[in-house]
């Protein structure tokens, strides 16, 4: 018997590759996360910021040191269009931050409470039964600033958090209203079943990051064909949770509205030896911050297949 989800929700997750759960967080929990996000932004010293930018596009993923060493820190990444050609911010920093990452869930008590100390999250992980002993990694607040909030191009998360076999699962919480105009998420339902992981995002030996192909050209060509279809836009309200299978294709458009679209997201993966976390991944556990276990005890339910 599921603890938190209904069986039809579990079925929907495995059929579509994602699941929207309205009102998962209480208004108070949601507001705490939103206010804490804004406080972190208002307190961070923009003067010493190296002006790194983040997108998930193949060309533009800026793999500088600030990004690569952010896995065990709370750092601030700027909207591409908030910085002029001469490197100056063209607006106040509160309207310039694209995202905060990547160890909010470990370091910040407000985010930790919702992530690693949340019995509902643990119940959902057990209900989905995608993992035996999941660990959490890579938390982010994505701000989608008014007018300039950058698009997040089509991708699947297992490309970025590669394990063998693929096992990423995203928890994405709307902290504000998410609409077609401010860059709500959209999904290609079922693509986790039809479109294989064809590449992975790695640290390059020469420095920086890049994509490495992991399938032969014919599989890549097939994946490009199967990745076509009708995207479904999922409008969300504050407090809604979207569960995202690591292999499902999804994206979000540029925010062209005058409203922010704050969201909090973190991921979990299966731990070793059931899935191997690769040393080439951009994000690495550190001795002082290994990936934290999500469950107090391994989940001994019949495990659903972790589908690449
Ligand atoms: O919040 C967004 O716009 C994109 C989030 C996303 O793609 C992800 O968490 O994998």
């Amino acid at each position: 018997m599921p603890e938190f989800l209904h069986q039809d929700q579990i079925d929907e997750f495995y059929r579509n590759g994602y699941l929207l759960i309205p009102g998962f967080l209480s208004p108070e929990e949601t507001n705490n996360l939103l206010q804490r996000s804004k406080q972190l932004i208002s307190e961070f010293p923009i003067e010493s910021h190296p002006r790194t930018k983040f997108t998930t596009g193949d060309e533009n993923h800026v793999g500088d040191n600030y990004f690569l060493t952010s896995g065990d820190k709370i750092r601030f990444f700027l909207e591409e269009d908030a910085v002029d050609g001469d490197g100056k911010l063209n607006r106040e920093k509160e309207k310039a931050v694209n995202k905060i990452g990547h160890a909010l869930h470990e370091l910040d008590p407000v985010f930790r409470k919702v992530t690693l100390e949340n019995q509902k999250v643990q119940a959902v992980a057990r209900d989905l039964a995608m993992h035996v002993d999941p660990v959490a990694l890579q938390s982010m607040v994505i701000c989608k600033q008014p007018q300039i909030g950058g698009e997040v191009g089509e991708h699947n998360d297992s490309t970025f958090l590669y394990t063998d076999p693929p096992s990423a699962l995203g928890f994405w919480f709307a902290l504000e209203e998410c609409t077609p105009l401010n860059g709500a998420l959209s999904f290609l339902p079922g693509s986790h079943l039809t479109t294989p992981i064809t590449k992975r995002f790695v640290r390059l030996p020469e420095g920086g990051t890049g994509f490495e192909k992991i399938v032969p050209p014919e599989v890549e060509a097939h994946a490009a064909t199967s990745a076509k279809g009708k995207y479904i836009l999922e409008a969300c309200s504050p407090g809604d949770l979207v569960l995202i299978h690591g292999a499902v294709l999804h994206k979000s458009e540029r925010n062209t509205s005058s409203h922010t679209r704050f969201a909090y997201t973190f991921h979990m993966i299966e731990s070793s030896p059931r899935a191997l976390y690769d040393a080439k991944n951009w994000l690495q556990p550190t001795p002082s911050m290994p990936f934290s276990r999500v469950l107090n005890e391994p989940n001994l339910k019949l495990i659903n297949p972790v589908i690449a």
Side-chain angles (χ1 to χ4, degrees):
M1 276 285 283
E3 290 171 58
F4 183 86
L5 298 173
H6 297 292
Q7 188 57 47
D8 56 356
Q9 290 178 300
I10 299 171
D11 295 344
E12 185 179 331
F13 172 80
Y14 280 103
R15 187 169 60 248
N16 290 339
Y18 72 95
L19 177 71
L20 169 62
I21 306 174
F24 182 86
L25 297 179
S26 69
E28 192 192 350
E29 286 172 315
T30 310
N31 195 43
N32 287 347
L33 293 178
L34 184 61
Q35 294 318 320
R36 182 67 184 140
S37 307
K38 291 184 176 175
Q39 188 186 9
L40 287 169
I41 293 173
S42 81
E43 286 173 358
F44 105 92
I46 186 76
E47 310 73 48
S48 55
H49 190 273
R51 293 186 49 253
T52 187
K53 303 173 197 174
F54 176 86
T55 79
T56 49
D58 284 19
E59 305 296 325
N60 301 322
H61 204 122
V62 181
D64 71 0
N65 203 40
Y66 186 77
F67 171 74
L68 284 172
T69 53
S70 66
D72 58 354
K73 301 183 185 64
I74 297 176
R75 286 193 164 163
F76 300 82
F77 301 86
L78 304 180
E79 296 283 4
E80 209 167 316
D81 290 349
V83 188
D84 286 342
D86 59 1
K88 296 240 163 47
L89 270 200
N90 56 23
R91 63 202 67 217
E92 54 183 330
K93 71 174 173 177
E94 282 75 9
K95 295 270 178 271
V97 172
N98 164 275
K99 71 165 192 169
I100 314 171
H102 289 95
L104 289 157
H105 64 297
E106 295 281 359
L107 297 173
D108 188 276
V110 180
F111 287 93
R112 195 179 171 92
K113 192 163 177 224
V114 162
T115 314
L116 294 171
E117 295 163 6
N118 188 341
Q119 292 186 1
K120 287 198 289 184
V121 163
Q122 294 167 9
V124 166
R126 277 191 294 266
D127 284 348
L128 286 184
M130 191 164 154
H131 307 120
V132 174
D133 196 1
V135 289
L137 71 174
Q138 190 189 244
S139 50
M140 303 183 266
V141 166
I142 301 170
C143 308
K144 285 260 188 201
Q145 296 290 351
Q147 270 91 39
I148 57 162
E151 77 169 318
V152 177
E154 176 181 79
H155 69 283
N156 52 45
D157 296 338
S158 282
T159 297
F160 293 89
L161 299 170
Y162 188 76
T163 60
D164 183 14
S167 65
L169 168 65
F171 282 63
W172 185 98
F173 304 91
L175 302 185
E176 295 185 300
E177 216 57 64
C178 304
T179 72
L181 291 183
N182 73 358
L185 289 177
S186 59
F187 294 86
L188 194 55
S191 50
H192 63 306
L193 300 172
T194 56
T195 311
I197 312 293
T198 58
K199 60 185 177 187
R200 43 180 304 215
F201 186 69
V202 296
R203 281 179 189 240
L204 296 171
E206 63 270 28
T209 53
F211 288 90
E212 184 180 273
K213 292 182 183 182
I214 54 171
V215 293
E218 59 276 15
V219 177
E220 199 183 358
H222 166 74
T225 327
S226 61
K228 298 209 165 45
K230 190 167 162 356
Y231 266 83
I232 305 292
L233 187 128
E234 292 292 350
C236 295
S237 296
D240 291 357
L241 165 63
V242 186
L243 298 170
I244 306 177
H245 190 290
V248 77
L249 290 167
H250 60 287
K251 60 184 179 177
S252 66
E253 304 298 338
R254 186 178 174 87
N255 181 2
T256 54
S257 79
S258 54
H259 303 285
T260 47
R261 198 231 61 185
F262 275 59
Y264 170 58
T265 181
F266 73 93
H267 291 80
M268 52 183 76
I269 52 168
E270 180 63 281
S271 54
S272 169
R274 288 162 299 277
L276 300 180
Y277 192 77
D278 202 288
K280 284 187 189 170
N281 287 342
W282 83 264
L283 188 151
Q284 291 295 326
T286 58
S288 61
M289 197 181 288
F291 298 151
S292 287
R293 302 209 118 72
V294 172
L295 302 177
N296 300 330
E297 289 173 10
N299 184 16
L300 298 177
K301 267 187 199 154
L302 182 63
I303 290 296
N304 282 302
V306 178
I307 305 153

